[in-house]
Amino acid sequence: MIPLTVRSYYSLMWGTCSPEKICAAAKKRGYHRLAITDTDNLYGLWSFLKSCKRENLTPIVGAELTDSARNPADKPSTGYRAVCLVKNDQGYRNLCRIITRRHIDPAFDLKSVILTHAKGLVITTQHPELLTHWHGAGLTVAAAVSGKPDSVAFRLRKTSQYLGIPMLFTPGIFFTDPDDFKTHRMLRAIDLNTSLSRLKTEDTTSSEAWLS
């Protein structure tokens, strides 16, 4: 198994650990390859690459991209998310272009921007409609399954079979050890300007989102 959706503390107010700590934990637990896919940024890339070299791990460069908070019609966000994994130099350049667009364009539309900057990238998502759209345009895509046996996983399996694309087991990882969940909850409370006692289930990730 290769952890493909690990967030460091550069996924601000969500992740709890540095790239250095993540790589050390991955090495200790027997992993040989690892991807840190922070949300809408590559801030931790150089620390990640140096740490992988130190720990003799093969790095996989990538990032999670999210839709803009508003779309051009001033409607709420679609909630779309996708993880872009780099295959080559062209993929890295395209990922940087996508991230730049995400930060400077208030009407950033993930569905369409990915289409124009997809070369050199493997794109995974939990949204069947995105998989169908991007696969039809010739992009390299895979269905991302968190592991929960729910209706979303069922739809993804059906879509994967219909399109003939692979399914990847990609549980979200936000910390290296179970005890880090306490820090994660504190970060979420700060981000939402609320108290720990008022946090809702949907405000945090799962307590099992650690690098096991």
Side-chain angles (χ1 to χ4, degrees), residues 23-208:
C23 290
K27 180 67 173 182
K28 183 177 180 180
R29 289 161 193 171
Y31 292 105
H32 302 286
R33 304 180 72 189
L34 174 73
I36 288 183
T37 52
D38 283 313
T39 305
D40 295 326
N41 74 73
L42 288 169
Y43 300 151
L45 176 59
W46 305 118
S47 296
F48 173 53
L49 295 178
K50 287 190 291 185
S51 298
C52 282
K53 184 175 181 180
R54 182 173 61 250
E55 302 292 347
N56 196 27
L57 296 170
T58 300
I60 301 172
V61 176
E64 178 190 43
L65 277 300
T66 64
D67 225 348
S68 176
R70 313 295 293 185
N71 67 20
D74 200 32
K75 296 178 180 178
S77 168
T78 60
Y80 285 153
R81 290 174 176 266
V83 170
C84 296
L85 301 173
V86 169
K87 293 194 296 183
N88 50 39
D89 288 346
Q90 184 179 24
Y92 175 71
R93 291 193 296 270
N94 277 329
L95 179 57
C96 290
R97 292 185 181 105
I98 295 169
I99 291 173
T100 299
R101 286 281 301 276
R102 177 63 181 84
H103 285 280
I104 67 174
D105 184 358
F108 177 85
D109 178 62
L110 181 65
K111 186 177 181 179
S112 61
V113 172
I114 290 288
L115 283 177
T116 58
H117 300 293
K119 289 185 178 179
L121 295 172
V122 175
I123 303 157
T124 74
T125 184
Q126 294 185 346
H127 301 283
E129 60 273 27
L130 291 183
L131 289 170
T132 302
H133 183 70
W134 290 336
H135 180 265
L139 278 60
T140 304
V141 295
V145 181
S146 66
K148 298 179 181 178
D150 54 17
S151 59
V152 174
F154 177 76
R155 287 183 63 205
L156 283 169
R157 182 169 64 86
K158 298 291 285 186
T159 302
S160 173
Q161 291 174 340
Y162 177 75
L163 298 176
I165 61 174
M167 292 182 67
L168 302 178
F169 180 58
T170 59
I173 297 170
F174 291 83
F175 28 92
T176 58
D177 299 286
D179 285 346
D180 293 334
F181 183 58
K182 299 174 184 177
T183 304
H184 169 75
R185 293 188 76 248
M186 185 176 297
L187 290 172
R188 298 304 303 134
I190 294 170
D191 187 39
L192 296 171
N193 193 28
T194 189
S195 63
L196 291 171
S197 62
R198 293 191 178 190
L199 281 176
K200 302 174 184 176
T201 303
E202 59 267 27
D203 293 333
T204 70
T205 188
S206 166
S207 61
E208 299 178 354

